Amino acid sequence: MSDLKPCPFCGGEPELISSKPSTANHNKGAVHFGVACFELKCPIMPYPKLWQVNETDAVNAWNKRKEQE
């Protein structure tokens, strides 16, 4: 499904990742999706800041990122 744009910080190839199911009472069993860059040269590696509730939203959020974030 990917269609991910390169990392806006280093040009690396990002990966779609998912969180472990939540144990919080209000989110029990919920899995969230994010995109992260794992290139060693990347200044944001590997922290996904834009967790979403589905893969499509995670990809769209990543593709809208700006270098100045």
Side-chain angles (χ1 to χ4, degrees), residues 2-3 10 12 17-18 20 22 29 33-36 41 43 46 61 64 68:
S2 206
D3 293 335
C10 73
I17 57 175
S18 60
K20 293 181 180 178
S22 173
F33 298 89
V35 177
K41 65 182 177 181
K64 292 178 183 174
Q68 290 76 30

Side-chain angles (χ1 to χ4, degrees), residues 37-63:
C37 180
F38 292 97
E39 296 287 332
L40 293 177
K41 65 182 177 181
C42 187
I44 64 162
M45 188 281 290
Y47 182 66
K49 294 181 181 179
L50 306 168
W51 288 107
Q52 303 293 325
V53 294
N54 63 56
E55 292 178 17
T56 301
D57 287 348
V59 169
N60 289 337
W62 174 268
N63 287 341

Side-chain angles (χ1 to χ4, degrees), residues 2-40:
S2 206
D3 293 335
L4 288 168
K5 292 181 180 178
C7 177
F9 298 93
C10 73
E13 193 171 320
E15 295 178 32
L16 182 66
I17 57 175
S18 60
S19 68
K20 293 181 180 178
S22 173
T23 57
N25 288 336
H26 64 282
N27 260 350
K28 206 160 214 140
V31 174
H32 290 89
F33 298 89
V35 177
C37 180
F38 292 97
E39 296 287 332
L40 293 177

